[in-house]
């Protein structure tokens, strides 16, 4: 593809994206295709001869688009949002255009240095502690996902217990602590790090707040110590995936400090809310106690997937665990010790120029624009929660401090199993309508509907229409 051909098709692709986004409400939010339907329409064999890009765009429209769930649709209330905004898409396009592989500083200095600056900016924007900054002992790095962030934190935690993760591997039995509401990626991290799922302890939660019980955590750690294990990492969650419950980080942190256990804080969804000073209470205890902290701009902070920010209070154990220097990557800059090589801060070697999209977002919106987005979505969710609370046919899960509302239709005459089945039928009918997409969770045996407001395209009228439809569906 010559530069002139690229220019021509590139303009068409940008027009395609702009048209798609402008007309997104005309699509059913959740794809309606059956399993295998998309695949059956695609040729079995790759083309022998090259085709025009018009053929690619035609198949995108005709074959792929029906199999797409429209995450940017204003009626998308499922899971958590995965914002993809104009500036982030353009920033990502620029990253693709540069085609840089930033594994070490020397392979593209700007790729490393912009990432350092942008993550230091985020420390300030989110009111995180200054020791997370790269000019202190800590530092931030962009990971592909919160799952990778958890694995990196886990490897650093193992290293800090005195294991020589890089050379000897694990020599003792280690334990990791979560609650029943912790994200499954922590168990994954334990498996991948060689700790093993059987050494993941599930700490009790408070029945009202669903937050981790720090007293029970301390008991479990004491029992593990008595049995000769090495308590290695606790994961506290700020905003669980299921209900946005918040673990008491300060109390958990005190236990971790006392026991010398690494505290990882998973704020994948909720952490970015701290861009608003009035929501910074969610991070209480992080500054004093967190050894690592993760939040995903790719969920609620207007930056397209993938962009997960991980900070460490002290980067040394992570680098000891992960640094590697094959001959073919030796270079004067790395050996000078004056530069950061982010390949030592993550599992893969290679890395994209991801900071470009985050930088584009921060510059386009400014702190004010980011706050407006968080406040706007929180306000819509709170208004929705108010409607649910006032309707005798529904029950509302409290608290709901952010932009996720969990609720359920009351079927007072039905046993819980039947009520759950009915709730599922309501959910299916709503999602089949194509106008909105909700997901569910289960708390204490009861199926709850989850409505997460998060798209910048979602206006009050969309939330109102959703409520109207939900009320009529039960
Ligand atoms: C979404 C989520 C994750 C996983 O995030 P990925 O970036 O998709 O790996 C982890 N923890 C919590 C609390 C989440 O909400």
């Amino acid at each position: 593809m010559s530069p002139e051909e690229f220019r021509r098709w590139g303009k068409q692709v940008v027009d395609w994206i702009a048209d798609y986004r402008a007309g997104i409400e005309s699509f059913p939010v959740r794809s309606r295709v059956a399993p295998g339907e998309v695949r059956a329409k695609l040729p079995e064999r790759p083309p022998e001869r090259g085709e025009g890009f018009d053929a690619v765009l035609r198949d995108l429209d005709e074959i792929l688009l029906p199999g797409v769930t429209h995450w940017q649709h204003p009626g998308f209330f499922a899971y958590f949002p995965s914002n993809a905004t104009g500036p982030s898409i353009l920033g990502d396009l620029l990253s693709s255009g540069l085609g840089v592989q930033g594994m070490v500083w020397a392979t593209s200095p700007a790729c490393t240095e912009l990432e350092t600056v942008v993550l230091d900016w985020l420390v300030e924007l989110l009111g995180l502690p200054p020791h997370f900054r790269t000019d202190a002992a800590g530092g931030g790095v962009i990971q592909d996902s919160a799952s990778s962030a958890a694995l990196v934190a886990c490897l650093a935690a193992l290293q800090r217990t005195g294991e020589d993760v890089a050379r000897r591997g694990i020599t003792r039995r280690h334990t990791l602590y979560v609650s029943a509401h912790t994200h499954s990626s922590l168990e994954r991290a334990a498996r991948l790090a060689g700790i093993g799922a059987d050494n993941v302890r599930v700490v009790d939660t408070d029945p009202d707040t669903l937050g981790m019980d720090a007293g029970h955590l301390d008991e479990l750690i004491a029992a593990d110590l008595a049995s000769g294990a090495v308590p290695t990492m606790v994961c506290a969650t700020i905003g669980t995936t299921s209900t946005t419950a918040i673990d008491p980080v300060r109390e958990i942190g005190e236990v971790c400090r006392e026991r010398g256990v690494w505290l990882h804080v998973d704020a994948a969804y909720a952490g970015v809310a701290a861009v608003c000073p009035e929501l910074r209470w969610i991070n209480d205890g992080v500054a004093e106690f967190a050894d690592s902290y993760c939040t995903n701009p790719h969920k609620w902070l207007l930056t397209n997937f993938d962009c997960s920010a991980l900070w460490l209070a002290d980067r040394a154990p992570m680098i000891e665990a992960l640094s590697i220097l094959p001959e073919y990557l030796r270079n004067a800059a790395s050996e000078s010790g004056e530069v950061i090589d982010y390949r030592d801060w993550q599992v893969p070697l290679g890395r994209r120029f991801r900071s470009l999209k985050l930088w584009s977002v921060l510059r386009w919106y400014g702190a004010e624009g980011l706050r407006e987005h968080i406040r706007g979505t929180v306000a819509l969710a709170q208004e929705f929660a108010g409607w649910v609370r006032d309707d005798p046919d529904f029950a509302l899960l409290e608290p709901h401090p952010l932009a996720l509302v969990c609720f359920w239709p009351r079927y007072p005459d039905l046993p819980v199993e039947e009520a759950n089945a009915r709730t599922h039928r309501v959910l299916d009918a709503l999602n089949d309508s194509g106008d909105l997409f909700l997901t569910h969770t289960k708390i204490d045996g009861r199926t709850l509907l989850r409505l997460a407001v998060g798209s910048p395209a979602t206006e009050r009228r969309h939330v109102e229409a959703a409520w109207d439809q939900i009320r009529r569906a039960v």
Side-chain angles (χ1 to χ4, degrees):
M1 189 177 274
S2 69
E4 281 316 312
E5 285 172 311
F6 180 79
R7 190 185 311 281
R8 183 165 144 244
W9 290 114
K11 285 179 177 168
Q12 291 215 22
V13 166
V14 169
D15 280 344
W16 189 97
I17 297 171
D19 289 342
Y20 166 69
R21 293 167 67 87
I24 199 165
E25 283 189 60
S26 66
F27 295 101
V29 188
R30 190 178 66 167
S31 168
R32 290 171 166 157
V33 298
E37 203 176 316
V38 173
R39 193 173 165 186
K41 290 192 177 131
L42 293 165
E44 262 179 51
R45 312 286 319 276
E48 184 61 29
R49 290 166 151 242
E51 302 174 66
F53 208 77
D54 48 345
V56 173
L57 290 179
R58 191 182 56 236
D59 287 353
L60 174 64
D61 277 322
E62 291 172 8
I63 302 176
L64 299 184
L65 216 44
V68 167
T69 288
H70 301 282
W71 283 66
Q72 308 308 317
H73 192 294
F76 185 96
F77 302 110
Y79 311 107
F80 280 136
S82 186
N83 293 165
T85 59
S88 77
I89 296 166
L90 294 176
D92 219 10
L93 181 59
L94 291 170
S95 166
S96 295
L98 290 171
V100 157
Q101 213 279 42
M103 53 193 164
V104 293
W105 179 88
T107 60
S108 209
C111 180
T112 293
E113 296 191 13
L114 182 65
E115 186 159 331
T116 307
V117 167
V118 165
L119 283 165
D120 282 356
W121 279 7
L122 262 192
V123 168
E124 183 181 322
L125 282 169
L126 302 180
L128 293 170
H131 58 257
F132 281 3
R133 292 174 53 94
T134 314
D135 49 17
V141 57
I142 301 177
Q143 305 279 333
D144 55 0
S145 67
S147 309
S148 296
L151 176 56
V152 167
C154 192
L155 295 168
L158 283 167
Q159 182 77 25
R160 202 182 67 178
T161 65
E163 295 282 15
D164 182 352
V165 170
R167 277 151 289 268
R168 299 184 61 205
I170 301 178
T171 58
R172 293 169 291 170
R173 189 164 63 84
H174 291 264
T175 47
L176 190 150
Y177 303 82
V178 299
S179 85
H181 303 290
T182 305
H183 194 265
S184 53
S185 53
L186 271 292
E187 183 188 313
R188 269 274 191 75
R191 289 198 219 168
L192 293 169
I195 291 175
D198 287 352
N199 292 311
V200 176
R201 303 278 177 262
V202 182
V203 183
D204 290 346
T205 49
D206 179 289
D208 293 324
T209 66
L210 306 179
M212 186 184 277
D213 176 347
H216 187 231
L217 170 67
D218 193 53
E219 286 168 27
L220 290 179
I221 292 176
D224 285 325
L225 280 169
S227 77
V230 186
T232 296
M233 184 165 105
V234 175
C235 175
T237 306
I238 294 176
T240 59
T241 315
S242 178
T243 66
T244 64
I246 297 176
D247 287 334
V249 173
R250 182 173 294 281
E251 290 169 40
I252 293 168
E254 276 159 7
V255 172
C256 289
R257 170 133 330 144
E258 175 85 22
R259 300 284 189 179
V261 182
W262 184 287
L263 176 59
H264 176 64
V265 176
D266 177 5
Y269 161 72
V272 299
V275 73
C276 301
E278 72 276 18
L279 291 172
R280 289 207 179 138
W281 60 267
I282 62 172
N283 281 334
D284 179 51
V286 167
E288 295 87 339
F289 297 106
D291 293 295
S292 49
Y293 178 93
C294 166
T295 188
N296 286 350
H298 74 221
K299 277 180 170 162
W300 194 12
L301 202 68
L302 303 166
T303 308
N304 60 330
F305 191 84
D306 51 352
C307 183
S308 176
L310 169 69
W311 287 275
L312 291 105
D314 177 6
R315 61 183 177 263
M318 166 186 68
I319 291 173
E320 284 163 27
L322 293 178
S323 86
I324 196 140
L325 186 59
E327 184 55 35
Y328 47 81
L329 288 179
R330 276 187 189 280
N331 67 88
S334 294
E335 271 154 54
S336 75
E338 282 174 33
V339 300
I340 290 174
D341 290 328
Y342 280 125
R343 58 127 199 253
D344 295 339
W345 299 47
Q346 62 175 24
V347 174
L349 171 66
R351 57 204 327 274
R352 310 197 297 122
F353 202 160
R354 287 198 193 91
S355 57
L356 265 178
K357 61 187 170 190
L358 186 52
W359 189 53
S360 304
V361 164
L362 299 183
R363 294 187 66 180
W364 176 266
Y365 289 96
E368 274 183 17
L370 302 175
R371 287 184 204 119
E372 204 177 297
H373 169 62
I374 298 291
R375 284 183 184 135
T377 47
V378 170
L380 287 177
Q382 296 309 318
E383 198 172 5
F384 178 84
W387 299 334
V388 175
R389 193 187 301 112
D390 292 344
D391 191 317
D393 291 338
F394 289 86
L396 176 67
L397 185 78
E398 304 273 8
H400 41 77
L402 301 168
L404 172 72
V405 181
C406 298
F407 62 104
W408 65 99
R410 287 186 204 273
Y411 298 112
D413 304 328
L414 296 183
V416 68
E417 290 307 321
E418 278 173 49
N420 287 350
R422 195 105 165 235
T423 303
H424 273 286
R425 284 201 296 277
V426 166
L427 180 62
D428 289 340
L430 288 167
N431 291 342
D432 286 344
S433 78
D435 302 327
L436 76 176
F437 183 18
L438 305 180
T439 48
H440 76 281
T441 188
K442 206 165 194 182
I443 297 293
D444 289 336
R446 184 179 296 282
T447 299
L448 274 56
L449 300 175
R450 293 170 78 265
L451 181 136
V453 184
S455 167
T458 302
E459 298 169 23
R460 188 172 184 278
R461 66 187 169 95
H462 299 109
V463 182
E464 255 180 325
W467 174 232
D468 214 49
Q469 207 166 332
I470 293 164
R471 266 188 15 223
R472 279 186 281 113
V474 299

